């Protein structure tokens, strides 16, 4: 999808560092242009899916002797994502809301999910928070891996390209198994797009279908684990690569009222 590349290029520009971002052919041309024009990053297009682009990124980094910023692996990435949990806890307390008892997030390779799990385990809680890991069908490598008990590799067919890791992180899978309260939730592309439109209409926020998968847990058919919960938090992320015309096109493709 390009979100990790945009984040890395933003950080590199702020630090005055050169940055090369490797993208698969499925990443929208608008993202490539944004990387080059707004952040001054060099862009290399390689492979039809993220996994193939990562092979080329690793080769380039090794040849140049440069560090590789992985989109979902690595201690620094996981610790950074973990901070969102303490922010949520603080904001809920400031609102006088009850502590969250469920958190919904989308999952691709699993970096955000790993951060969520670390953040939840970092603070003492009266009860374990249920975590819903949302994906779209055709990008549901994590759900299939959790069911199999080992990393599974799938062919990516979903439009939710930001979830398009054919194989999820083995470390994240192990962490989810150890946590014991991670619940996969797989929705259709159409349901994800419908949730994107609903969020835009209700909250005036644009997100892509990868995030729509998480939003569909509350805008569509909620997973059974959310029944009876007092405070459900949905992690909304992934709006850097979407525009109103793009959202309109997705809605038309899946016959979603816009």
């Amino acid at each position: 999808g390009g979100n990790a590349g945009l984040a890395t290029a933003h950080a590199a520009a702020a630090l005055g560092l050169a940055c090369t971002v490797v993208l698969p052919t499925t990443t929208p041309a608008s993202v490539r242009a944004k990387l080059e024009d707004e952040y001054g990053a060099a862009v290399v297009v390689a492979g039809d899916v993220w996994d193939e682009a990562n092979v080329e990124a690793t080769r380039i980094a090794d040849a140049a002797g440069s560090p590789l910023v992985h989109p979902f692996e690595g201690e620094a990435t996981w610790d950074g994502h973990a901070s969102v949990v303490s922010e949520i806890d603080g904001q809920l307390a400031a609102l006088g809301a009850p502590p969250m008892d469920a958190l919904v997030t989308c999952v691709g390779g699993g970096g955000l999910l790993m951060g969520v799990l670390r953040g939840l385990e970092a603070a003492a809680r009266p009860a374990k928070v249920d975590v819903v890991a949302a994906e779209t069908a055709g990008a549901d490598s994590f759900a299939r891996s959790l069911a199999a008990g080992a990393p599974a590799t799938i062919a990516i067919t979903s439009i939710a390209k930001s979830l398009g890791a054919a194989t999820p992180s083995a470390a994240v899978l192990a962490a989810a198994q150890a946590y014991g309260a991670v619940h996969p939730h797989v929705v259709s592309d159409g349901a994800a797009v419908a949730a994107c439109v609903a969020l835009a209409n209700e909250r005036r926020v644009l997100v892509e279908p990868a995030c729509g998968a998480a939003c569909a847990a509350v805008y569509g058919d909620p997973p059974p684990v959310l029944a009876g919960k007092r405070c459900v938090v949905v992690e909304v992320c992934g709006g850097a690569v979407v525009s109103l015309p793009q959202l309109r096109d997705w809605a038309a493709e899946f016959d979603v009222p816009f």
Side-chain angles (χ1 to χ4, degrees):
N3 288 304
L6 288 165
T8 304
H10 171 81
L15 295 169
L17 300 174
C19 177
T20 298
V21 179
V22 184
L23 303 171
T25 57
T26 51
T27 302
S30 59
V31 176
R32 303 175 204 170
K34 189 171 186 176
L35 284 164
E36 294 171 334
D37 299 341
E38 295 187 27
Y39 297 114
V43 177
V44 175
V45 178
D48 292 330
V49 294
W50 172 83
D51 302 73
E52 294 173 357
N54 186 57
V55 171
E56 178 63 9
T58 302
R59 187 196 67 77
I60 292 173
D62 288 345
S66 298
L68 176 68
V69 180
H70 196 283
F72 57 80
E73 298 278 21
E75 294 292 332
T77 296
W78 298 335
D79 288 344
H81 286 315
S83 65
V84 74
V85 176
S86 59
E87 292 176 13
I88 291 170
D89 287 338
Q91 290 172 7
L92 289 174
L95 291 170
M100 63 176 160
D101 47 12
L103 192 154
V104 183
T105 183
C106 56
V107 55
L112 177 58
L113 176 59
M114 178 68 105
V116 163
L117 296 178
R118 286 193 170 188
L120 289 173
E121 292 184 316
R125 296 178 185 278
K128 184 164 286 190
V129 174
D130 285 299
V131 177
V132 175
E135 298 170 286
T136 51
D140 53 335
S141 61
F142 177 79
R144 297 194 201 187
S145 297
L146 200 59
T153 299
I154 69 169
I156 303 299
T157 58
S158 170
I159 64 165
K161 302 306 180 187
S162 293
L163 302 182
T167 308
S169 165
V172 177
L173 178 62
Q177 291 169 321
Y179 185 76
V182 176
H183 311 274
H185 184 60
V186 180
V187 304
S188 67
D189 280 347
V193 170
C196 292
V197 173
L199 183 70
N201 284 329
E202 182 178 328
R203 298 291 179 177
R204 303 299 188 261
V205 174
L206 291 180
V207 296
E208 60 186 285
C211 177
C215 295
V218 291
Y219 282 119
D221 293 326
V225 70
L226 297 186
K229 298 296 185 184
R230 295 184 65 210
C231 183
V232 176
V233 173
V234 181
E235 172 67 22
V236 178
C237 61
V241 302
V242 66
S243 65
L244 195 58
Q246 177 67 79
L247 182 57
R248 183 184 295 112
D249 289 344
W250 285 326
E253 179 178 354
F254 294 98
D255 295 323
V256 173
F258 187 78

